[in-house]
Amino acid sequence: MTASKDAVQAPLLRVENLGVLLQNEGRVVRVVDAVSFRLKQGETLGIVGESGCGKTLLCRSLLGLLPGCAAVAPDAKAFFDGKDLFRLSESSLNKVRAAGIAMIFQDPLSSLNPVMTIGRQICEPLVHHLGMTARKARSRAVELLHSVGVSGAEQRVDHYPHQMSGGMRQRVAIAIALSCGPKLLIADEPTTALDVTVQAAILDLLMRVQAGSKTGMILVTHDLRVAATRTHEVAVMYAGRIVERISAGALFTHMRVPYTRALVDAIPKMDRPPHAPLHAIEGRPPGPAGAIYGCAFAPRCDRAIEKCRARTPPMRSDRSGRHWYACWNPIQEPAP
Ligand SMILES: Nc1ncnc2c1ncn2[C@@H]1O[C@H](COP(=O)(O)OP(=O)(O)OP(=O)(O)O)[C@@H](O)[C@H]1O
Ligand SMILES: [Mg+2]
């Protein structure tokens, strides 16, 4: 019966043909282009790709949090819980931001208010959006801090962000994000600023939260190992486009797109002999300078053929319909 249940379960988030336009030195450039994906309740989509490929603008666009110089392309669609996010009024979008979709940023200092106690910052949405009394909100704030692993929560609630470590601040940011019970969490590199052991603890926490509440999650990460082990599906972005969508378990073994393979090859390996050179990807991704002809990765790709420089490869799927890739000369599938 699981298959039929799957078939009827509408996605929590359906993004179609998402583009983000950016004003750059007097010109309009598409920094996110033709992005489509679906996310089910309780599932995590990982987004990986080199710096500048559009991961953050993609996430921010879903919440109407783009910088002033950027805008969602007119033909883009994003349905969350049945609502078209790009056609909501500001007040409806505020409701979605309050209780539907929550975002966690890379640097919790930039999302926390330095002159407000963390207790007040957690209580504010509880009072404003859930209508709790100040007293009830405070005890809920203590509970939330406790649930995200902040020890001494009763005292911590009166502390300011600068009195806490980076890891603790990120836990606070997660507590705020979870305060109104979001259906979707967008975590944009939530652990990049933290040291390795704290990173693992924060990722464990996010996964625990998600498993307990069936929250959908978009997890942006630079770390392919994190994507492979902490998500269900991975979207690989290059120059504003998703070039491959693959189940996390198949990421390292069944990728079809040369760029994905280059990212995988660039991971430092424990079994490499000491002092062996790391495989960096030659060249740089194109900047937001203007139109790209053909596949944006072609100039750096060892599998590029003539067609790659002339026409942008469309996304197509393999027989399963679950593995999508955009490449004119894909890596052959390994023999079964
Ligand atoms: N506020 C801004 N003003 C001008 N250009 C911007 C702004 N924000 C992003 N960009 C440009 O848009 C493109 C996509 O940026 P984005 O921040 O989404 O990349 P990213 O994949 O999140 O990178 P990173 O991994 O470094 O966080 C980049 O070329 C970037 O320079
Ligand atoms: Mg970013």
Side-chain angles (χ1 to χ4, degrees):
M1 289 307 279
T2 1
S4 63
K5 196 172 137 238
D6 264 14
V8 292
Q9 191 192 346
L12 177 65
L13 177 69
R14 177 159 59 91
V15 172
E16 278 172 19
N17 199 26
L18 172 55
V20 173
L21 307 171
L22 186 83
Q23 291 273 359
N24 185 279
E25 294 171 4
R27 276 187 305 170
V28 176
V29 287
R30 259 182 197 258
V31 279
V32 174
D33 191 19
V35 163
S36 300
F37 62 85
R38 288 162 182 235
L39 179 69
K40 283 193 210 150
Q41 222 187 354
E43 296 210 333
T44 301
L45 174 74
I47 301 185
V48 299
E50 278 165 291
S51 189
C53 70
K55 304 179 296 293
T56 294
L57 292 183
L58 162 59
C59 293
R60 283 181 166 269
S61 71
L62 296 173
L63 277 174
L65 293 176
L66 287 174
C69 56
V72 170
D75 49 351
K77 292 193 175 76
F79 294 94
F80 167 72
D81 217 12
K83 295 181 260 308
D84 186 349
L85 292 174
F86 300 144
R87 280 148 196 89
L88 289 181
S89 66
E90 193 57 28
S91 69
S92 307
L93 192 56
N94 270 332
K95 281 192 197 131
V96 170
R97 287 187 199 124
I101 309 179
M103 190 151 170
I104 303 166
F105 298 89
Q106 174 174 344
D107 173 14
L109 265 191
S110 62
S111 55
L112 296 177
N113 185 335
V115 296
M116 230 194 237
T117 63
I118 58 165
R120 268 190 68 195
Q121 294 184 61
I122 303 174
C123 287
E124 212 161 56
L126 296 174
V127 172
H128 279 106
H129 301 303
L130 301 187
M132 285 187 189
T133 60
R135 177 195 283 254
K136 181 118 199 288
R138 189 182 158 93
S139 73
R140 178 75 186 124
V142 172
E143 263 172 39
L144 276 164
L145 283 175
H146 187 71
S147 74
V148 296
V150 173
S151 55
E154 289 80 4
Q155 291 78 45
R156 288 285 193 185
V157 82
D158 295 316
H159 286 188
Y160 289 88
H162 73 266
Q163 294 172 284
M164 309 183 96
S165 67
M168 281 297 150
R169 285 196 288 258
Q170 196 56 299
R171 287 176 193 269
V172 172
I174 293 171
I176 295 173
L178 298 178
S179 59
C180 295
K183 291 185 176 169
L184 172 63
L185 259 184
I186 302 179
D188 186 5
E189 310 220 29
T191 60
T192 311
L194 308 172
D195 70 52
V196 179
T197 45
V198 183
Q199 277 183 24
I202 296 286
L203 291 169
D204 287 346
L205 168 64
L206 285 173
M207 290 179 82
R208 225 175 35 242
V209 164
Q210 189 194 27
S213 57
K214 289 264 168 210
T215 314
M217 182 152 74
I218 295 177
L219 177 64
V220 176
T221 174
H222 267 108
D223 190 333
L224 262 71
R225 282 169 300 199
V226 167
T229 53
R230 308 279 188 161
T231 73
H232 296 93
E233 189 186 28
V234 180
V236 180
M237 278 187 85
Y238 189 77
R241 287 179 162 247
I242 292 181
V243 293
E244 185 154 22
R245 269 182 22 228
I246 182 167
S247 70
L251 176 63
F252 291 153
T253 48
H254 287 69
M255 83 292 267
R256 306 289 310 268
V257 171
Y259 177 62
T260 309
R261 185 172 63 187
L263 285 180
V264 170
D265 285 348
I267 300 174
K269 308 255 182 335
M270 296 299 280
D271 57 2
R272 217 184 280 267
H275 310 300
L278 290 179
H279 284 289
I281 310 175
E282 292 280 328
R284 291 183 149 269
I292 295 168
Y293 295 97
C295 169
F297 188 58
R300 303 168 77 189
C301 181
D302 59 6
R303 294 183 63 84
I305 51 177
E306 213 177 310
K307 198 175 184 183
C308 304
R309 297 189 176 87
R311 285 174 51 204
T312 308
M315 269 293 210
R316 54 188 157 141
S317 77
D318 71 352
R319 267 163 289 151
S320 74
R322 292 201 204 104
H323 181 181
W324 290 79
Y325 51 94
C327 184
W328 290 124
N329 189 20
I331 298 160
Q332 292 311 306
E333 263 184 296

